[in-house]
Amino acid sequence: MHPYVAEQFTEAEESVLRRYFTNLEGPVFALVNLPEVVKGALFARYSRSSKSLRRLFLDEFVGDLDLAGDVTVDATMGLARADDLYQKIFFEYGDDSVAQLGGVHLACEQASNILTKVLEWGRLMSYLEQSTRYLGYDKRLANGHYRFYRDHDVLESRYGARYVGEMDRMFDTYGELLPVLTDYLAKKYPKTPEDTDFVYAKRSAPRLWTPCAGCYPRAHFRTSASTPRVRRMKHCCCACARTRYPRCASTRT
């Protein structure tokens, strides 16, 4: 399985995140204890940011929230209890209609393109993905690797070194093109006196990122954000379990 690169947080940051995220270490997690409008806005911003969802929440959303009433909340606790309650209702009363009433805002980070297609197959949930038209892939992960999938079997084969080398060269080329294209676009589409920095940057982003997107391979990482009902989530987990791709199958857990 591809190793997930966990993000590091300070103790103060972890204290805040534990109130609203079901785990701080894994690639799949849910948002809780937040108003629906905040979760929706966070996901919308997430689709156009290169940051992880937890980092984005800390950097851009925490300052606008009143956290005083949530100091003692720990969202990483109590999941087993909630699962026991659901199992009791289902097995003792034979009724899973309660699953229609439960929903969740779920994120899956550092996902391969294949995994996102498995998750989104059948349109069982509402989805958002990080937009390649509004963010760059020239930044490396914390472990120094570019954002592409490293299959264990491929890396252990005689093609492993070549695979990583060719991938790195694709991302290197991508990064080299960015400043060249930025200069070209600045001359072709100059900033007008009426443009604010924010407006100009937003208008220029698709012109910059879209042409360069042809440089990175289909193995690049994606991030999938979804809002499923619990029953739909069960069907999605079954779809992951049936796939022949190990990373997809392991995601169901």
Side-chain angles (χ1 to χ4, degrees), residues 18-103:
R18 287 185 183 281
R19 308 171 202 175
Y20 309 108
F21 293 83
T22 54
N23 77 70
L24 308 186
E25 299 84 19
V28 182
F29 51 88
L31 278 69
V32 294
N33 303 324
L34 287 169
E36 292 298 309
V37 65
V38 174
K39 289 186 283 189
L42 180 58
F43 269 13
R45 178 71 182 90
Y46 188 37
S47 69
R48 298 190 178 187
S49 173
S50 59
K51 299 178 181 179
S52 70
L53 186 63
R54 289 168 288 211
R55 175 55 58 191
L56 181 66
F57 177 76
L58 290 170
D59 291 351
E60 301 186 20
F61 283 79
V62 166
D64 296 326
L65 300 176
D66 182 5
L67 309 181
D70 299 331
V71 172
T72 60
V73 174
D74 187 344
T76 64
M77 303 295 290
L79 297 181
R81 182 179 179 183
D83 182 66
D84 289 343
L85 177 61
Y86 176 79
Q87 296 296 335
K88 179 179 180 180
I89 293 173
F90 180 74
F91 287 112
E92 291 188 10
Y93 300 99
D95 185 6
D96 70 344
S97 60
V98 66
Q100 295 284 19
L101 305 177

Coordinates of all heavy atoms in Angstrom, one line a residue, residues 18-103:
R18 N -8.9 18.2 17.4 CA -9.6 17.1 18.0 C -11.1 17.4 18.3 O -11.9 16.4 18.4 CB -8.9 16.7 19.3 CG -7.6 16.0 19.2 CD -7.0 15.5 20.5 NE -5.7 14.9 20.3 CZ -5.5 13.7 19.8 NH1 -6.6 12.9 19.5 NH2 -4.3 13.2 19.6
R19 N -11.5 18.6 18.3 CA -12.9 18.9 18.6 C -13.7 18.8 17.3 O -14.9 18.6 17.4 CB -13.0 20.4 19.0 CG -12.1 20.7 20.2 CD -12.1 22.2 20.5 NE -10.9 22.6 21.2 CZ -10.6 23.9 21.5 NH1 -11.4 24.9 21.1 NH2 -9.5 24.2 22.2
Y20 N -13.1 18.7 16.1 CA -13.8 18.8 14.9 C -13.5 17.7 13.8 O -14.1 17.6 12.8 CB -13.7 20.2 14.2 CG -14.0 21.3 15.2 CD1 -12.9 22.1 15.7 CD2 -15.3 21.5 15.7 CE1 -13.2 23.1 16.6 CE2 -15.5 22.5 16.6 CZ -14.5 23.3 17.1 OH -14.8 24.3 18.0
F21 N -12.4 17.0 14.1 CA -12.0 16.0 13.1 C -11.9 14.6 13.8 O -11.3 14.5 14.9 CB -10.6 16.3 12.5 CG -10.7 17.5 11.6 CD1 -10.6 18.8 12.2 CD2 -10.8 17.4 10.3 CE1 -10.7 19.9 11.4 CE2 -10.8 18.6 9.5 CZ -10.8 19.8 10.0
T22 N -12.3 13.6 13.2 CA -12.4 12.3 13.8 C -11.1 11.6 14.0 O -10.9 10.6 14.7 CB -13.4 11.3 13.0 OG1 -13.0 11.3 11.7 CG2 -14.8 11.8 13.1
N23 N -10.1 12.0 13.2 CA -8.7 11.6 13.5 C -7.7 12.6 12.9 O -8.0 13.3 12.0 CB -8.4 10.1 13.0 CG -8.2 10.1 11.5 OD1 -7.2 10.6 11.0 ND2 -9.1 9.6 10.7
L24 N -6.5 12.6 13.5 CA -5.5 13.6 13.1 C -4.3 12.9 12.3 O -3.4 13.6 11.9 CB -5.0 14.3 14.3 CG -6.0 14.9 15.3 CD1 -5.3 15.7 16.3 CD2 -7.0 15.8 14.5
E25 N -4.3 11.6 12.2 CA -3.2 10.9 11.6 C -3.5 10.3 10.2 O -2.6 10.1 9.4 CB -2.7 9.8 12.5 CG -2.2 10.3 13.9 CD -3.3 10.5 14.9 OE1 -4.4 9.9 14.6 OE2 -3.2 11.2 15.9
G26 N -4.7 9.8 10.0 CA -5.0 9.1 8.8 C -5.5 9.9 7.6 O -5.8 11.1 7.8
P27 N -5.6 9.3 6.4 CA -6.0 10.0 5.2 C -7.5 10.2 5.1 O -8.0 11.0 4.3 CB -5.4 9.2 4.1 CG -5.4 7.8 4.6 CD -5.1 7.9 6.1
V28 N -8.2 9.3 5.8 CA -9.7 9.4 5.7 C -10.3 9.8 7.1 O -10.0 9.2 8.1 CB -10.3 8.0 5.3 CG1 -11.8 8.1 5.2 CG2 -9.7 7.5 4.0
F29 N -11.1 10.9 7.1 CA -11.6 11.4 8.3 C -12.9 12.2 8.0 O -13.2 12.6 6.9 CB -10.6 12.3 9.0 CG -10.0 13.4 8.2 CD1 -10.6 14.6 8.0 CD2 -8.8 13.1 7.4 CE1 -10.1 15.6 7.2 CE2 -8.3 14.1 6.6 CZ -8.9 15.3 6.5
A30 N -13.6 12.4 9.1 CA -14.9 13.2 9.0 C -14.8 14.4 9.8 O -14.1 14.6 10.8 CB -16.1 12.3 9.4
L31 N -15.7 15.4 9.4 CA -15.9 16.7 10.2 C -17.1 16.5 11.0 O -18.1 16.1 10.6 CB -16.0 17.8 9.2 CG -14.8 18.5 8.6 CD1 -14.2 17.5 7.6 CD2 -15.2 19.8 7.9
V32 N -17.0 17.0 12.3 CA -18.1 16.9 13.2 C -18.1 18.2 14.0 O -17.1 19.0 14.1 CB -18.0 15.7 14.1 CG1 -18.2 14.4 13.4 CG2 -16.7 15.7 14.9
N33 N -19.2 18.4 14.7 CA -19.4 19.5 15.7 C -19.2 20.9 15.1 O -18.8 21.9 15.8 CB -18.4 19.4 16.9 CG -18.5 18.1 17.6 OD1 -19.6 17.5 17.8 ND2 -17.4 17.5 18.0
L34 N -19.4 21.0 13.8 CA -19.4 22.3 13.1 C -20.7 22.6 12.4 O -21.4 21.7 11.9 CB -18.2 22.3 12.0 CG -16.8 22.3 12.5 CD1 -15.9 22.0 11.4 CD2 -16.5 23.7 13.1
P35 N -21.1 23.9 12.3 CA -22.3 24.2 11.6 C -22.2 23.8 10.1 O -21.1 23.7 9.5 CB -22.4 25.7 11.7 CG -21.5 26.1 12.9 CD -20.4 25.0 12.9
E36 N -23.3 23.4 9.5 CA -23.3 22.9 8.2 C -22.8 23.9 7.2 O -22.1 23.6 6.2 CB -24.8 22.5 7.7 CG -25.3 21.3 8.4 CD -24.5 20.1 8.2 OE1 -24.3 19.8 7.0 OE2 -24.2 19.4 9.1
V37 N -23.0 25.2 7.4 CA -22.5 26.2 6.5 C -21.0 26.3 6.6 O -20.4 26.6 5.6 CB -23.2 27.6 6.9 CG1 -22.8 28.1 8.3 CG2 -22.9 28.7 5.8
V38 N -20.4 26.1 7.8 CA -19.0 26.1 7.9 C -18.4 24.9 7.2 O -17.4 25.0 6.4 CB -18.6 26.1 9.4 CG1 -17.0 26.0 9.5 CG2 -19.0 27.4 10.1
K39 N -19.0 23.7 7.3 CA -18.4 22.5 6.7 C -18.5 22.7 5.1 O -17.6 22.3 4.4 CB -19.2 21.3 7.1 CG -18.9 20.9 8.6 CD -19.5 19.6 9.0 CE -21.0 19.7 9.3 NZ -21.5 18.5 9.9
G40 N -19.6 23.3 4.7 CA -19.8 23.5 3.2 C -18.8 24.5 2.7 O -18.2 24.3 1.6
A41 N -18.6 25.6 3.4 CA -17.6 26.6 3.0 C -16.2 26.0 3.0 O -15.4 26.3 2.2 CB -17.7 27.8 3.9
L42 N -15.9 25.2 4.0 CA -14.6 24.6 4.2 C -14.3 23.7 3.0 O -13.2 23.7 2.4 CB -14.5 23.9 5.5 CG -13.1 23.2 5.8 CD1 -12.0 24.2 5.8 CD2 -13.2 22.5 7.1
F43 N -15.3 22.9 2.6 CA -15.1 22.0 1.5 C -15.0 22.7 0.2 O -14.2 22.4 -0.7 CB -16.3 21.0 1.4 CG -16.0 19.7 2.2 CD1 -15.0 19.6 3.1 CD2 -16.9 18.6 2.0 CE1 -14.8 18.4 3.8 CE2 -16.7 17.4 2.7 CZ -15.6 17.3 3.6
A44 N -15.7 23.8 0.0 CA -15.7 24.6 -1.2 C -14.3 25.2 -1.3 O -13.7 25.2 -2.4 CB -16.7 25.7 -1.2
R45 N -13.7 25.8 -0.2 CA -12.4 26.3 -0.3 C -11.3 25.3 -0.5 O -10.3 25.5 -1.2 CB -12.1 27.1 1.0 CG -10.7 27.7 1.2 CD -10.6 28.9 0.3 NE -9.2 29.4 0.4 CZ -8.2 29.0 -0.4 NH1 -8.4 28.1 -1.4 NH2 -7.0 29.5 -0.3
Y46 N -11.6 24.1 0.1 CA -10.7 23.0 0.0 C -10.4 22.6 -1.5 O -9.3 22.2 -1.8 CB -11.3 21.8 0.8 CG -10.5 20.6 1.0 CD1 -9.1 20.6 1.2 CD2 -11.1 19.3 1.0 CE1 -8.4 19.5 1.4 CE2 -10.4 18.2 1.2 CZ -9.1 18.2 1.4 OH -8.4 17.1 1.7
S47 N -11.5 22.7 -2.3 CA -11.3 22.2 -3.7 C -10.4 23.1 -4.5 O -9.9 22.7 -5.6 CB -12.7 22.2 -4.4 OG -13.2 23.5 -4.5
R48 N -10.0 24.3 -4.0 CA -9.1 25.2 -4.7 C -7.9 25.5 -3.8 O -7.3 26.6 -4.0 CB -9.9 26.4 -5.1 CG -11.0 26.1 -6.1 CD -11.6 27.4 -6.7 NE -12.7 27.1 -7.6 CZ -13.2 28.0 -8.4 NH1 -12.9 29.2 -8.3 NH2 -14.2 27.6 -9.2
S49 N -7.5 24.6 -3.0 CA -6.4 24.9 -2.1 C -5.5 23.6 -2.2 O -5.9 22.5 -2.2 CB -6.8 25.1 -0.7 OG -5.7 25.2 0.2
S50 N -4.2 23.9 -2.1 CA -3.2 22.8 -2.1 C -2.9 22.3 -0.6 O -2.2 21.3 -0.4 CB -1.9 23.2 -2.7 OG -1.3 24.3 -2.0
K51 N -3.5 22.9 0.3 CA -3.3 22.5 1.7 C -4.2 21.3 2.1 O -5.2 21.1 1.4 CB -3.7 23.7 2.7 CG -2.9 24.9 2.5 CD -3.4 26.1 3.4 CE -2.6 27.3 3.2 NZ -3.1 28.4 4.1
S52 N -3.8 20.6 3.1 CA -4.7 19.5 3.6 C -5.9 20.2 4.3 O -5.9 21.4 4.6 CB -3.9 18.7 4.6 OG -3.7 19.4 5.8
L53 N -6.9 19.4 4.4 CA -8.2 20.0 5.0 C -8.0 20.5 6.4 O -8.4 21.5 6.8 CB -9.3 18.9 5.0 CG -10.7 19.5 5.4 CD1 -11.2 20.5 4.4 CD2 -11.7 18.3 5.5
R54 N -7.2 19.7 7.2 CA -7.0 20.1 8.6 C -6.1 21.4 8.7 O -6.4 22.3 9.5 CB -6.4 18.9 9.4 CG -7.3 17.8 9.6 CD -6.7 16.5 10.1 NE -6.0 15.8 9.0 CZ -5.8 14.5 9.0 NH1 -6.4 13.7 9.9 NH2 -5.1 13.9 8.0
R55 N -5.1 21.5 7.8 CA -4.3 22.7 7.8 C -5.1 23.9 7.3 O -4.9 25.0 7.9 CB -3.1 22.4 6.9 CG -2.2 23.7 6.7 CD -1.7 24.2 8.0 NE -1.0 23.3 8.8 CZ -0.6 23.4 10.1 NH1 -1.0 24.6 10.7 NH2 0.1 22.5 10.7
L56 N -5.9 23.7 6.3 CA -6.7 24.8 5.8 C -7.7 25.3 6.9 O -7.9 26.5 7.0 CB -7.5 24.3 4.6 CG -8.4 25.3 3.9 CD1 -7.6 26.4 3.3 CD2 -9.3 24.6 2.9
F57 N -8.3 24.4 7.7 CA -9.2 24.7 8.7 C -8.4 25.6 9.8 O -9.0 26.6 10.2 CB -9.7 23.5 9.4 CG -10.6 23.7 10.6 CD1 -11.9 24.2 10.4 CD2 -10.1 23.5 11.9 CE1 -12.7 24.4 11.5 CE2 -10.9 23.8 13.0 CZ -12.2 24.2 12.8
L58 N -7.2 25.2 10.1 CA -6.4 26.0 11.1 C -6.1 27.3 10.6 O -6.1 28.3 11.3 CB -5.2 25.2 11.5 CG -5.4 23.9 12.3 CD1 -4.1 23.1 12.4 CD2 -5.9 24.3 13.7
D59 N -5.7 27.4 9.3 CA -5.1 28.6 8.8 C -6.2 29.7 8.4 O -6.0 30.9 8.5 CB -4.3 28.3 7.5 CG -3.0 27.6 7.8 OD1 -2.7 27.5 9.0 OD2 -2.3 27.2 6.9
E60 N -7.4 29.2 8.0 CA -8.3 30.1 7.4 C -9.7 30.2 8.0 O -10.5 31.0 7.7 CB -8.5 29.8 5.9 CG -7.2 29.9 5.1 CD -7.4 29.8 3.6 OE1 -8.5 30.0 3.1 OE2 -6.4 29.5 2.9
F61 N -10.0 29.2 8.9 CA -11.3 29.1 9.4 C -11.4 29.3 11.0 O -12.4 29.8 11.5 CB -12.0 27.8 9.0 CG -12.5 27.8 7.6 CD1 -11.6 27.6 6.6 CD2 -13.8 28.0 7.3 CE1 -12.0 27.6 5.3 CE2 -14.3 28.0 6.0 CZ -13.4 27.8 4.9
V62 N -10.4 28.8 11.7 CA -10.5 28.9 13.1 C -10.7 30.3 13.7 O -11.4 30.5 14.6 CB -9.2 28.2 13.7 CG1 -9.1 28.6 15.2 CG2 -9.2 26.7 13.5
G63 N -10.0 31.2 13.0 CA -10.1 32.6 13.5 C -11.5 33.2 13.5 O -11.8 34.2 14.2
D64 N -12.4 32.6 12.7 CA -13.8 33.2 12.5 C -14.8 32.4 13.4 O -16.0 32.7 13.3 CB -14.2 33.1 11.1 CG -13.4 34.0 10.2 OD1 -12.9 35.1 10.7 OD2 -13.1 33.7 9.0
L65 N -14.3 31.4 14.1 CA -15.3 30.6 14.9 C -15.1 30.9 16.4 O -14.1 31.2 16.9 CB -15.0 29.1 14.7 CG -15.1 28.6 13.2 CD1 -14.7 27.1 13.2 CD2 -16.5 28.7 12.7
D66 N -16.2 30.7 17.1 CA -16.3 30.8 18.6 C -16.0 29.4 19.1 O -16.9 28.5 19.1 CB -17.6 31.4 19.0 CG -17.6 31.5 20.6 OD1 -16.6 31.3 21.2 OD2 -18.7 31.9 21.1
L67 N -14.8 29.1 19.6 CA -14.5 27.8 20.1 C -14.7 27.6 21.6 O -14.4 26.5 22.1 CB -13.0 27.5 19.7 CG -12.6 27.8 18.3 CD1 -11.1 27.4 18.1 CD2 -13.4 27.0 17.3
A68 N -15.2 28.6 22.2 CA -15.2 28.6 23.7 C -16.0 27.4 24.2 O -15.7 26.7 25.2 CB -15.7 29.9 24.3
G69 N -17.2 27.1 23.5 CA -18.1 26.1 24.0 C -17.6 24.7 23.7 O -18.3 23.7 24.1
D70 N -16.5 24.5 22.9 CA -16.1 23.2 22.4 C -14.8 22.7 23.1 O -14.2 21.8 22.6 CB -15.9 23.2 20.9 CG -17.2 23.5 20.2 OD1 -18.3 23.2 20.7 OD2 -17.2 24.1 19.1
V71 N -14.4 23.4 24.1 CA -13.1 23.1 24.7 C -12.9 21.7 25.1 O -11.9 21.0 25.0 CB -12.8 24.1 25.8 CG1 -11.5 23.7 26.6 CG2 -12.6 25.5 25.3
T72 N -14.0 21.1 25.7 CA -13.9 19.7 26.3 C -14.3 18.7 25.2 O -14.3 17.5 25.6 CB -14.8 19.6 27.5 OG1 -16.2 19.9 27.1 CG2 -14.4 20.6 28.6
V73 N -14.6 19.0 24.0 CA -15.0 18.1 23.0 C -13.8 17.4 22.4 O -12.8 18.0 22.1 CB -15.8 18.8 21.9 CG1 -16.2 17.8 20.8 CG2 -17.1 19.4 22.5
D74 N -13.9 16.1 22.2 CA -12.9 15.3 21.5 C -13.6 14.4 20.5 O -14.1 13.4 20.9 CB -12.0 14.5 22.5 CG -10.8 13.8 21.8 OD1 -10.8 13.7 20.6 OD2 -9.9 13.3 22.6
A75 N -13.5 14.8 19.2 CA -14.3 14.0 18.2 C -13.6 12.7 17.9 O -14.2 11.9 17.2 CB -14.4 14.9 16.9
T76 N -12.4 12.5 18.3 CA -11.7 11.2 18.0 C -12.2 10.1 19.0 O -11.8 9.0 18.8 CB -10.2 11.4 18.1 OG1 -9.8 11.7 19.5 CG2 -9.7 12.5 17.2
M77 N -12.9 10.5 20.0 CA -13.4 9.6 21.0 C -14.9 9.3 20.7 O -15.6 10.1 20.1 CB -13.3 10.1 22.4 CG -11.8 10.5 22.8 SD -10.7 9.1 22.8 CE -11.4 8.3 24.3
G78 N -15.4 8.2 21.1 CA -16.8 7.9 21.0 C -17.3 7.3 19.7 O -18.5 7.0 19.6
L79 N -16.4 7.0 18.8 CA -16.8 6.4 17.5 C -17.3 5.0 17.7 O -18.3 4.6 17.1 CB -15.7 6.5 16.5 CG -15.2 7.9 16.1 CD1 -14.1 7.7 15.1 CD2 -16.3 8.7 15.5
A80 N -16.6 4.2 18.6 CA -17.0 2.9 18.8 C -18.4 2.8 19.5 O -19.2 1.9 19.2 CB -16.0 2.2 19.7
R81 N -18.6 3.7 20.4 CA -19.9 3.8 21.0 C -21.1 4.1 20.0 O -22.1 3.5 20.1 CB -19.9 4.9 22.1 CG -21.2 5.0 22.9 CD -21.1 6.0 24.0 NE -22.3 6.2 24.8 CZ -22.5 7.1 25.7 NH1 -21.5 7.9 26.0 NH2 -23.6 7.2 26.4
A82 N -20.8 5.0 19.1 CA -21.8 5.3 18.1 C -22.0 4.1 17.2 O -23.2 3.8 16.8 CB -21.3 6.5 17.3
D83 N -21.0 3.4 16.9 CA -21.1 2.2 16.0 C -21.9 1.1 16.8 O -22.8 0.4 16.2 CB -19.7 1.7 15.6 CG -19.8 0.5 14.7 OD1 -20.3 0.6 13.6 OD2 -19.4 -0.6 15.2
D84 N -21.6 0.9 18.1 CA -22.4 0.0 18.9 C -23.9 0.3 18.9 O -24.7 -0.6 18.8 CB -21.8 -0.1 20.3 CG -20.5 -0.7 20.4 OD1 -20.1 -1.4 19.4 OD2 -19.8 -0.5 21.4
L85 N -24.2 1.6 19.0 CA -25.6 2.0 19.0 C -26.3 1.6 17.7 O -27.4 1.1 17.7 CB -25.7 3.5 19.3 CG -27.1 4.0 19.3 CD1 -28.0 3.4 20.3 CD2 -27.1 5.6 19.5
Y86 N -25.6 1.9 16.6 CA -26.2 1.6 15.3 C -26.4 0.1 15.1 O -27.4 -0.4 14.6 CB -25.3 2.1 14.2 CG -25.8 1.7 12.8 CD1 -26.8 2.4 12.2 CD2 -25.2 0.7 12.1 CE1 -27.3 2.1 10.9 CE2 -25.7 0.3 10.9 CZ -26.7 1.0 10.3 OH -27.2 0.6 9.0
Q87 N -25.4 -0.7 15.5 CA -25.5 -2.1 15.4 C -26.6 -2.7 16.2 O -27.3 -3.6 15.8 CB -24.2 -2.8 15.8 CG -23.0 -2.5 14.9 CD -23.1 -3.0 13.5 OE1 -23.9 -3.9 13.3 NE2 -22.5 -2.3 12.6
K88 N -26.8 -2.1 17.4 CA -27.9 -2.5 18.3 C -29.3 -2.3 17.6 O -30.2 -3.2 17.6 CB -27.9 -1.8 19.6 CG -29.0 -2.2 20.6 CD -28.8 -1.4 21.9 CE -30.0 -1.8 22.8 NZ -29.9 -1.0 24.1
I89 N -29.4 -1.1 17.0 CA -30.7 -0.8 16.3 C -30.9 -1.7 15.2 O -32.0 -2.2 14.9 CB -30.7 0.7 15.9 CG1 -30.7 1.6 17.1 CG2 -31.9 1.0 15.0 CD1 -30.6 3.1 16.8
F90 N -29.9 -2.0 14.4 CA -30.0 -2.8 13.2 C -30.3 -4.2 13.5 O -31.2 -4.8 13.0 CB -28.7 -2.7 12.4 CG -28.8 -3.5 11.1 CD1 -29.5 -3.1 10.0 CD2 -28.0 -4.7 11.0 CE1 -29.5 -3.8 8.9 CE2 -28.1 -5.4 9.8 CZ -28.8 -5.0 8.8
F91 N -29.5 -4.8 14.4 CA -29.7 -6.2 14.7 C -30.8 -6.6 15.6 O -31.5 -7.6 15.4 CB -28.4 -6.8 15.3 CG -27.2 -6.9 14.4 CD1 -26.1 -6.1 14.5 CD2 -27.3 -7.8 13.3 CE1 -25.1 -6.2 13.5 CE2 -26.3 -7.9 12.4 CZ -25.2 -7.1 12.5
E92 N -31.1 -5.7 16.6 CA -32.2 -6.0 17.5 C -33.6 -5.7 16.9 O -34.6 -6.3 17.2 CB -32.0 -5.2 18.8 CG -30.8 -5.7 19.6 CD -30.8 -5.1 21.0 OE1 -31.8 -4.4 21.4 OE2 -29.8 -5.3 21.7
Y93 N -33.6 -4.7 16.1 CA -34.9 -4.3 15.5 C -35.0 -4.5 14.0 O -36.1 -4.3 13.4 CB -35.1 -2.8 15.8 CG -35.2 -2.5 17.3 CD1 -34.0 -1.9 17.9 CD2 -36.3 -2.7 18.0 CE1 -34.0 -1.7 19.2 CE2 -36.3 -2.5 19.4 CZ -35.2 -1.9 20.0 OH -35.2 -1.7 21.3
G94 N -33.9 -5.0 13.4 CA -34.0 -5.3 12.0 C -34.3 -4.1 11.1 O -34.9 -4.3 10.0
D95 N -33.9 -3.0 11.5 CA -34.3 -1.8 10.7 C -33.0 -0.9 10.5 O -32.5 -0.4 11.5 CB -35.3 -1.0 11.4 CG -35.9 0.2 10.7 OD1 -35.4 0.4 9.5 OD2 -36.7 1.0 11.2
D96 N -32.6 -0.7 9.2 CA -31.5 0.2 9.0 C -31.9 1.5 8.4 O -31.1 2.2 7.8 CB -30.5 -0.5 8.0 CG -31.0 -0.6 6.6 OD1 -32.2 -0.5 6.4 OD2 -30.2 -0.9 5.7
S97 N -33.2 1.8 8.6 CA -33.7 3.1 8.1 C -33.1 4.3 8.8 O -33.1 5.4 8.3 CB -35.2 3.2 8.2 OG -35.6 3.1 9.6
V98 N -32.5 4.0 10.0 CA -31.8 5.1 10.7 C -30.7 5.6 9.9 O -30.2 6.7 10.1 CB -31.4 4.6 12.1 CG1 -30.3 3.5 12.0 CG2 -30.8 5.7 13.0
A99 N -30.1 4.7 9.0 CA -29.0 5.2 8.2 C -29.4 6.3 7.2 O -28.5 7.0 6.8 CB -28.4 4.0 7.4
Q100 N -30.7 6.4 6.9 CA -31.1 7.5 6.0 C -31.0 8.8 6.7 O -31.0 9.9 6.1 CB -32.5 7.2 5.6 CG -32.7 6.0 4.7 CD -32.2 6.2 3.3 OE1 -31.4 7.1 3.0 NE2 -32.6 5.4 2.4
L101 N -31.0 8.8 8.0 CA -31.0 10.1 8.8 C -29.6 10.6 9.1 O -29.5 11.8 9.5 CB -31.8 9.9 10.1 CG -33.2 9.3 9.9 CD1 -33.9 9.1 11.3 CD2 -34.1 10.3 9.1
G102 N -28.6 9.8 9.0 CA -27.3 10.2 9.4 C -26.5 10.6 8.2 O -26.5 9.9 7.1
G103 N -25.8 11.7 8.3 CA -24.9 12.1 7.2 C -23.5 12.5 7.7 O -23.4 12.7 8.9

